[in-house]
Amino acid sequence: MADVNTVFWLFFKLKGRAGRAAYFLGGLFVLIVQMFFFYRVSLEVEGSAASQTWAMAFLIAALVATWANFALTAKRFHDLGKPTPFALISLIAGFILIIVLSLMKGEDGPNRYGPQADVPQW
């Protein structure tokens, strides 16, 4: 089982490499969290206090999820030997990019971004 530091590294740090499985599952988790808050907003009556609270929670979750998705994608591109700026495409492509990058095999052995995939880099 992963510890808190590993989870924090996976979703919020830009250093290191992420393998296909970690990237795919992490990307799905980020998407599910976003959709949960969107679902909660859609259940409430528009203009109610609960609706405004859930809308604020959704906004915060969306901002955190955007960064988490960017960090995950940067680490996935590192596993492919590409630099961090390639991850900017995650802001446009979203879920389609999760599928595409999950299918691409990373570089074997160490590269300039780390010794192997799925090992936290601090």
Side-chain angles (χ1 to χ4, degrees), residues 8-122:
F8 184 81
W9 166 80
L10 182 64
F11 290 109
F12 298 106
K13 295 290 188 175
L14 295 177
K15 286 185 171 184
R17 298 165 60 180
R20 292 184 281 182
Y23 175 73
F24 181 73
L25 294 174
L28 282 181
F29 177 74
V30 168
L31 185 63
I32 288 169
V33 168
Q34 282 181 292
M35 290 301 105
F36 168 75
F37 286 101
F38 181 75
Y39 166 73
R40 288 301 308 179
V41 169
S42 71
L43 288 179
E44 302 299 332
V45 176
E46 188 175 337
S48 69
S51 173
Q52 292 174 355
T53 301
W54 281 110
M56 182 58 71
F58 172 73
L59 178 63
I60 292 167
L63 292 173
V64 171
T66 299
W67 178 259
N69 190 37
F70 179 78
L72 272 168
T73 303
K75 284 190 280 299
R76 183 68 194 124
F77 273 116
H78 290 172
D79 193 44
L80 298 169
K82 306 294 183 211
T84 301
F86 275 69
L88 290 172
I89 195 169
S90 69
L91 302 175
I92 299 166
F95 186 70
I96 293 169
L97 189 65
I98 291 173
I99 301 297
V100 171
L101 290 179
S102 295
L103 296 174
M104 295 175 69
K105 185 178 183 325
E107 291 183 345
D108 292 329
N111 68 16
R112 65 182 174 168
Y113 299 105
Q116 65 185 36
D118 304 329
V119 174
Q121 301 287 311
W122 299 99

